[in-house]
Amino acid sequence: MYNALTLLSAVKPVNPQDDWSLVFATVVTGMVVVFFILLLLIGFIMLMGKVFYRGEKKIKSESENKTAESIITHSTPERTKNTYNNGINGEIVAAITAAVAAIGEDEGKTYAIKNISKRKNAPRSDRTSGWGAAGISESMRPFVK
Amino acid sequence: MQVFIETLEGLWKASAFSNISPQQLLMLLISFVLMYLAIVRGYEPLLLLPIAFGMALTNIPGANMFHYDFYLTADIDYGQVLHEGGLLDILYLGVKLQVFPPLIFLGIGCMTDFSPLIANPRSFLLGAAAQAGIFFTFLGACALSLTGIEELSFTLKQAGAISIIGGADGPTAIFLTSKLAPELLGSIAVAAYSYMALVPVIQPPIMRALTTKKERSVKMEQLRTVSKRERIIFPIAVTVIVSFIVPDATPLVGMLMLGNLFKESGVVDRLVKTAQNELMNIVTIFLGITVGATATAENFLSVKTLLIVGLGLIAFSIGTAAGVLFGKLMYVLTGGKINPLIGSAGVSAVPMAARVSQKVGQETNPSNFLLMHAMGPNVAGVIGSAVAAGVLLNILG
């Protein structure tokens, strides 16, 4: 493939009228090479999917069989729709569930949310807002390994 | 008093007022229009605004910020650039030496999620089909030479540079054009970024014209989850496979995949943050302003610029149509499981083209969520257009 491309590029007319065969060869070669490479990538990804996805699916189903309770995966708007969980709005529960699911997906794990409740009477030192805590963490980042 | 008057005379003669030509004045007006489009209309402002301002700066006589004649030959006289050049001459080296576009791709890789593509690898075919716009426009640009009129004709290299507009990928267009036809860089960059901003306007009519209501309402199966291991191996594999076959595509594809590997590895958070933010922003500023600086009155104000704008629109439209038509083919072959609308997302305008697929799909079926399905072909198009650029560079460069 690379030799064919090199051969094509060895002849270098300047204007199309100098060599129309190069023009058509460029079009055909370009489409063929693009499709060929992307087909190769499709094959590789499908193979990768068969090896890694099937393997992880097997491990996941085995661990699911071990636990007695049913697992809630990803967000469950049906369960929380218009209901309140310990006084927390259903939309907030959905957002928390989605965030946990996203973290789990990043780590390749599945988390089950068993309970969500508001913290009452948190100690003063722990009353920094989420944004404030994120800002502090960001500033301290260069100093923390 | 005499000295005072002579000084004022000298200042007047050196000023732009006494040296500006009508063409340069027109270029300044064009740059103001582009600034309006970027600021008020929000047309790809991140790049169009610096491009527009670079255009303004280069057309102010006497500013000497950019000297296009330093870069006319393949061999650059670096001593001349450093000693006699202005700010934009030095920054332009990043474009001429093909440094900036790959760095932009590094940042894009850090921001791209290839999971939809890995989950549904058939999307690659749609990304490949959409690149037909590039090659058919190349044919069209070459065909203009049949008119025999020099003002309407392009050389092979120029035709190759113009055709990459169909990939709807700004950095790729700049990368290829700076190598094949740097004299057209300003026109091609303005055309490419303008059409990227016009994706929501250009694509929907083509998508509706080429699909039936039944096809548009197809709901696709939920994508499988993609493991972290797959997401880490993917960029490494793509880099090796693509670079081995088309080494000229390595700067773009390699940096795209490096950025993605940074993101997916999860162990270089700080590098990811830098690439996504500070590095991307700095390079975007330098790239935009220097690309704009190449749009001098001599280069930009010609019939060829209008032809480039027209050919760019054709390239974009053919790319969209080819993607949708291939999507229809996949719809038939899969027994109605693929929605053809996601084919239009094979152009590399991430994520706008995917959003357009979602929007047009929802017009027919409000409960249809095509966004994540369309992201597959969308990101495949980025890889596809980089490969296409590598092929064109190899053959025509």
Side-chain angles (χ1 to χ4, degrees):
Chain A
M1 177 83 46
Y2 181 63
N3 284 337
L5 284 173
T6 312
L7 272 171
L8 272 171
S9 59
V11 180
K12 284 197 168 50
V14 174
N15 296 308
Q17 56 264 35
D18 296 338
D19 192 351
W20 278 104
S21 59
L22 178 63
V23 173
F24 289 109
T26 303
V27 174
V28 171
T29 308
M31 284 307 298
V32 165
V33 169
V34 169
F35 266 95
F36 174 73
I37 288 174
L38 298 191
L39 278 168
L40 263 183
L41 290 172
I42 289 173
F44 179 83
I45 291 165
M46 280 179 157
L47 184 65
M48 192 170 64
K50 279 187 170 33
V51 169
F52 293 115
Y53 180 59
R54 289 259 171 92
E56 296 220 3
K57 221 172 148 184
K58 198 177 164 194
I59 294 166
K60 215 198 282 188
S61 63
E62 277 173 7
S63 65
E64 277 173 359
N65 286 337
K66 281 178 190 167
T67 57
E69 300 97 330
S70 62
I71 301 289
I72 301 164
T73 55
H74 305 293
S75 59
T76 54
E78 296 82 24
R79 290 199 187 198
T80 59
K81 87 180 160 194
N82 295 330
T83 62
Y84 288 76
N85 190 348
N86 294 337
I88 300 172
N89 189 296
E91 285 179 349
I92 295 174
V93 172
I96 293 170
T97 315
V100 170
I103 292 168
E105 199 179 311
D106 269 347
E107 296 174 359
K109 295 176 188 170
T110 305
Y111 290 104
I113 296 175
K114 295 198 171 165
N115 184 46
I116 299 173
S117 55
K118 276 186 190 172
R119 280 189 77 178
K120 290 176 187 169
N121 302 321
R124 189 170 180 81
S125 61
D126 207 24
R127 280 189 213 156
T128 317
S129 74
W131 290 114
I136 292 168
S137 167
E138 188 62 38
S139 304
M140 293 300 292
R141 194 186 280 270
F143 307 105
V144 175
K145 185 171 174 273
Chain B
M1 188 63 184
Q2 183 68 20
V3 171
F4 176 68
I5 291 171
E6 280 172 9
T7 308
L8 281 180
E9 263 182 20
L11 273 173
W12 172 257
K13 281 181 185 163
S15 76
F17 288 107
S18 60
N19 292 301
I20 197 163
S21 65
Q23 292 87 351
Q24 285 171 320
L25 206 53
L26 181 57
M27 286 303 296
L28 280 173
L29 289 172
I30 292 172
S31 73
F32 297 156
V33 170
L34 292 176
M35 286 181 218
Y36 166 81
L37 290 175
I39 297 170
V40 177
R41 295 299 183 102
Y43 280 24
E44 291 290 326
L46 283 175
L47 258 144
L48 202 57
L49 187 56
I51 287 175
F53 210 84
M55 193 187 278
L57 289 176
T58 204
N59 285 290
I60 297 173
N64 293 324
M65 290 188 77
F66 183 70
H67 301 81
Y68 187 70
D69 46 310
F70 288 0
Y71 299 97
L72 284 175
T73 58
D75 293 323
I76 303 168
D77 185 346
Y78 293 102
Q80 186 183 34
V81 171
L82 288 173
H83 289 116
E84 297 170 34
L87 169 67
L88 299 184
D89 286 309
I90 294 169
L91 293 180
Y92 184 68
L93 285 171
V95 175
K96 190 70 178 171
L97 300 176
Q98 302 186 307
V99 171
F100 290 158
L103 289 179
I104 295 249
F105 258 42
L106 176 70
I108 290 172
C110 285
M111 295 192 279
T112 303
D113 179 11
F114 285 105
S115 300
L117 181 57
I118 299 169
N120 185 15
R122 292 176 297 187
S123 305
F124 264 123
L125 292 173
L126 295 168
Q131 308 315 314
I134 295 174
F135 295 102
F136 282 103
T137 304
F138 173 72
L139 202 56
C142 291
L144 284 174
S145 66
L146 290 171
T147 59
I149 304 169
E150 205 191 309
E151 286 76 22
L152 300 180
S153 303
F154 295 104
T155 63
L156 284 169
K157 288 187 180 188
Q158 288 175 337
I162 293 166
S163 62
I164 202 70
I165 298 174
D169 193 330
T172 305
I174 291 169
F175 177 83
L176 188 68
T177 307
S178 63
K179 199 81 174 158
L180 292 183
E183 68 278 10
L184 300 180
L185 184 57
S187 312
I188 288 175
V190 168
Y193 281 100
S194 300
Y195 288 130
M196 280 164 62
L198 289 172
V199 161
V201 173
I202 297 172
Q203 285 199 321
I206 299 171
M207 292 157 76
R208 287 186 205 108
L210 292 176
T211 52
T212 62
K213 212 169 173 183
K214 185 183 169 197
E215 289 167 347
R216 288 199 292 274
S217 59
V218 167
K219 272 190 169 181
M220 294 176 63
E221 283 171 6
Q222 190 170 354
L223 295 169
R224 67 170 177 89
T225 51
V226 175
S227 66
K228 184 171 175 174
R229 204 169 294 182
E230 288 175 281
R231 282 184 277 134
I232 289 175
I233 291 173
F234 176 80
I236 301 169
V238 169
T239 304
V240 170
I241 291 171
V242 173
S243 302
F244 266 61
I245 299 173
V246 187
D248 287 298
T250 308
L252 289 176
V253 174
M255 294 304 278
L256 178 73
M257 293 299 143
L258 173 62
N260 192 246
L261 185 60
F262 279 172
K263 171 179 171 280
E264 297 299 348
S265 67
V267 296
V268 287
D269 240 17
R270 286 165 55 180
L271 298 186
V272 172
K273 281 170 61 67
T274 299
Q276 281 180 346
N277 297 294
E278 290 79 26
L279 180 66
M280 186 90 162
N281 293 339
I282 290 169
V283 175
T284 298
I285 293 169
F286 290 171
L287 180 72
I289 201 168
T290 50
V291 164
T294 62
T296 57
E298 301 80 43
N299 286 341
F300 199 86
L301 292 176
S302 65
V303 175
K304 288 195 173 174
T305 299
L306 289 174
L307 283 174
I308 288 168
V309 170
L311 285 167
L313 180 60
I314 291 170
F316 210 84
S317 304
I318 294 178
T320 301
V324 173
L325 289 172
F326 205 90
K328 283 172 73 96
L329 177 64
M330 289 178 75
Y331 166 84
V332 169
L333 292 174
T334 58
K337 287 186 184 167
I338 302 271
N339 189 318
L341 289 177
I342 66 170
S344 67
V347 297
S348 322
V350 181
M352 186 55 71
R355 282 191 204 150
V356 170
S357 297
Q358 156 84 1
K359 187 166 163 287
V360 176
Q362 278 193 317
E363 282 170 6
T364 312
N365 184 351
S367 67
N368 201 353
F369 293 96
L370 290 172
L371 184 65
M372 290 318 288
H373 298 285
M375 282 304 294
N378 212 189
V379 297
V382 178
I383 299 172
S385 64
V387 171
V391 171
L392 286 171
L393 198 52
N394 186 286
I395 298 174
L396 303 173

